[in-house]
Amino acid sequence: MKKINEAPFLKSFCDTADNMYRLGWDERNGGNISMLLDESEVKDYLDTERVIRRIPFMGVKAASFDASALAGKIFLVTGTGKYFKNVKEDPENNLGIVRIALDGSCAELLWGFKDGGRPTSEFPAHMMTHIARLAADKDHRVVMHSHPTNLLAMTYVHSLDSDAFTHTLWQMSTECIVVFPEGVEVLPWMLCGTDEIGAATAEKARAARLVVWAMHGIYGTGKTLDETFGLIETAEKAAQIYMLTAHLPRVNTINDAELRSLAEFFGVPPRKGVLD
Ligand code: 2HA
Ligand code: ZN
């Protein structure tokens, strides 16, 4: 067996968590990431026949959460109560590799959570979002939740209408409409850690890779850690420009005709109902 600490998927996962912490997106135990792994990717690093323990899903009612669409799938995931600050230093306590049981009833621990830990409290929201995104894109792999400062601030002072929120972000930086042409979906404040917010997030994630949780944070999804991180990073930068300028008279902007020309030039269909 190769050393798992040297596995490229683990290294890039740790680096990503570390970057998110350094950017101030994941204070204390804030934020969580889960990434689908191929069996072929992990089999050189661990014995997938050996289940360390079985972990029931938290915060969900069995009747409204069915993980069977993900049965047998393997995820690398951050632990509940764990700090992003510590992930890179000590992956084996702060992260786990779990496989969804064949009957969809629990997660089978294959590696990590060494001190008795378990997957993030948002695991149901992650699993439901993985199911929704896999239906939209077979190459989807990553769900990332964090608390980026300016996006969070923006949800206190801006309309939570998804089209209006998208329009403002697109106007704040030229690259936005190209990076997330499908826009962002915004959820009102909801109790986190529940299957209700999981189902609402997954429903929104059908239409967009970014789902804002008002007064809480954001969910980003993508094919790779870099793509997902980059999506959140781009939206957060736009929110920062908004927060730096929202209280000042707006003298210039990117108008709708210009946004449309960007979408046409880069060949991306813009979210319907946002531009004139
Ligand atoms: O995992 O961010 O939403 C801590 C959180 C919960
Ligand atoms: Zn959170």
Side-chain angles (χ1 to χ4, degrees):
M1 284 282 163
K2 294 192 198 163
K3 288 199 185 101
I4 195 158
N5 283 0
E6 287 164 20
F9 62 80
L10 190 70
K11 279 186 166 180
S12 51
F13 197 95
C14 289
D15 286 341
T16 302
D18 209 48
N19 275 329
M20 293 168 80
Y21 174 68
R22 296 275 156 226
L23 286 166
W25 299 356
D26 297 277
E27 70 291 340
R28 199 173 179 273
N29 64 323
N32 27 75
I33 313 173
S34 62
M35 176 167 74
L36 253 168
L37 297 172
D38 277 341
E39 173 117 30
S40 61
E41 218 173 354
V42 295
K43 69 172 178 5
D44 291 344
Y45 300 97
L46 52 91
D47 176 3
T48 54
E49 301 296 306
R50 193 175 147 261
V51 175
I52 300 168
R53 56 194 156 90
R54 290 184 169 72
I55 308 175
F57 299 123
M58 291 195 301
V60 289
K61 300 172 209 81
S64 52
F65 177 57
D66 176 12
S68 53
L70 298 172
K73 295 224 185 287
I74 298 173
F75 292 92
L76 175 56
V77 59
T78 51
T80 183
K82 302 298 191 195
Y83 292 21
F84 271 37
K85 178 171 76 69
N86 302 331
V87 165
K88 194 169 179 174
E89 187 65 32
D90 185 7
E92 202 171 357
N93 272 316
N94 292 290
L95 308 178
I97 295 179
V98 298
R99 180 174 52 212
I100 306 303
L102 283 180
D103 63 3
S105 66
C106 67
E108 300 169 340
L109 182 64
L110 302 177
W111 173 86
F113 298 142
K114 205 174 172 198
D115 58 5
R118 47 201 290 164
T120 167
S121 58
E122 302 295 354
F123 202 53
H126 279 242
M127 293 301 104
M128 292 187 224
T129 305
H130 279 294
I131 294 170
R133 285 311 303 169
L134 281 168
D137 174 5
K138 66 171 179 33
D139 295 325
H140 156 86
R141 291 178 75 178
V142 177
V143 173
M144 191 179 277
H145 166 63
S146 69
H147 305 161
T149 313
N150 293 284
L151 276 165
L152 232 154
M154 191 169 157
T155 65
Y156 285 85
V157 297
H158 193 282
S159 153
L160 299 179
D161 175 75
S162 299
D163 291 338
F165 208 91
T166 295
H167 192 239
T168 299
L169 290 178
W170 283 355
Q171 284 184 326
M172 290 301 117
S173 160
T174 297
E175 66 176 340
C176 282
I177 193 169
V178 183
V179 175
F180 48 93
E182 78 272 41
V184 299
E185 291 287 332
V186 185
L187 281 180
W189 187 90
M190 291 177 75
L191 189 61
C192 53
T194 60
D195 43 6
E196 285 81 5
I197 199 168
T201 306
E203 179 58 35
K204 295 285 190 194
R206 289 166 187 274
R209 291 164 298 158
L210 287 168
V211 180
V212 173
W213 283 8
M215 284 75 80
H216 183 140
I218 193 163
Y219 263 69
T221 68
K223 298 177 183 29
T224 64
L225 287 165
D226 269 0
E227 181 198 314
T228 313
F229 178 87
L231 261 178
I232 297 179
E233 190 180 29
T234 307
E236 167 62 2
K237 175 71 174 274
Q240 183 178 17
I241 310 290
Y242 177 76
M243 293 309 297
L244 284 169
T245 56
H247 57 297
L248 301 171
R250 177 103 55 100
V251 178
N252 302 303
T253 195
I254 311 173
N255 66 36
D256 282 9
E258 290 164 336
L259 287 170
R260 214 177 267 293
S261 72
L262 271 166
E264 272 163 26
F265 185 74
F266 287 95
V268 289
R271 179 190 181 92
K272 290 199 172 59
V274 176
L275 301 178
D276 286 343

